[in-house]
Amino acid sequence: MNDLVAPLVVGIVFWTVYRIFELFVRRNERLKLIDHISEISDVNMINERLFPKEHRVGHKTAIKIASLLIGIAFGMFVGFVLLDIFRTVLTSGYEYRYDLYQCTIGASTLFFGGLGLLIPSIYFYRQEQKEK
């Protein structure tokens, strides 16, 4: 688990810096758009430029993120239950098998997290096929 801390911190820092730069760039774009608002006659075009669709979080994205987090939580729970069940295998004498512990928790977390993303994707795919 300690091996994941460094990449996670670096990723969070770079993501935060990116979002801050994006915030300032979008602010400048909005100020320029306000300066030229008298030239634009279509109100829908103003709304699309100020609030583009790719920055809006839709219900499908929210459901997928929620399913991913639920899958990760369930995977960690299953991993800890498996470790509790197989405790005698993991502790052979005085030696504690830390590598097996990490592998069990990591594998179950990734498996159920992926399953949490796969289930809503299949559901939305089938829903789109019915609509066609």
Side-chain angles (χ1 to χ4, degrees):
M1 211 58 161
N2 291 335
D3 297 336
L4 295 177
V5 172
L8 190 63
V9 168
V10 170
I12 290 172
V13 167
F14 279 113
W15 182 78
T16 304
V17 170
Y18 169 76
R19 293 299 285 183
I20 289 172
F21 280 119
E22 183 186 24
L23 178 72
F24 285 118
V25 168
R26 294 199 49 76
R27 181 177 175 267
N28 289 336
E29 287 177 355
R30 289 180 181 150
L31 288 174
K32 288 178 184 177
L33 184 64
I34 289 171
D35 289 340
H36 299 291
I37 203 154
S38 61
E39 299 170 9
I40 300 174
S41 61
D42 190 16
V43 177
N44 291 330
M45 189 172 128
I46 295 172
N47 287 335
E48 288 177 9
R49 298 247 344 242
L50 285 175
F51 308 107
K53 291 182 180 179
E54 63 265 4
H55 289 289
R56 299 178 195 164
V57 177
H59 71 282
K60 289 182 180 180
T61 306
I63 290 173
K64 286 183 181 181
I65 291 172
S67 299
L68 172 67
L69 294 175
I70 290 170
I72 288 173
F74 187 70
M76 291 181 77
F77 175 73
V78 168
F80 284 120
V81 167
L82 285 175
L83 286 175
D84 193 38
I85 290 172
F86 298 116
R87 185 178 304 190
T88 56
V89 175
L90 296 176
T91 54
S92 57
Y94 298 113
E95 180 185 333
Y96 184 68
R97 306 281 304 271
Y98 189 70
D99 54 344
L100 191 57
Y101 170 79
Q102 283 185 331
C103 183
T104 304
I105 296 293
S108 63
T109 302
L110 290 174
F111 176 74
F112 284 103
L115 198 61
L117 278 177
L118 184 66
I119 291 172
S121 297
I122 292 172
Y123 173 75
F124 290 134
Y125 176 74
R126 287 184 181 171
Q127 192 176 22
E128 288 175 3
Q129 292 298 322
K130 285 182 183 178
E131 290 174 1
K132 289 182 181 180

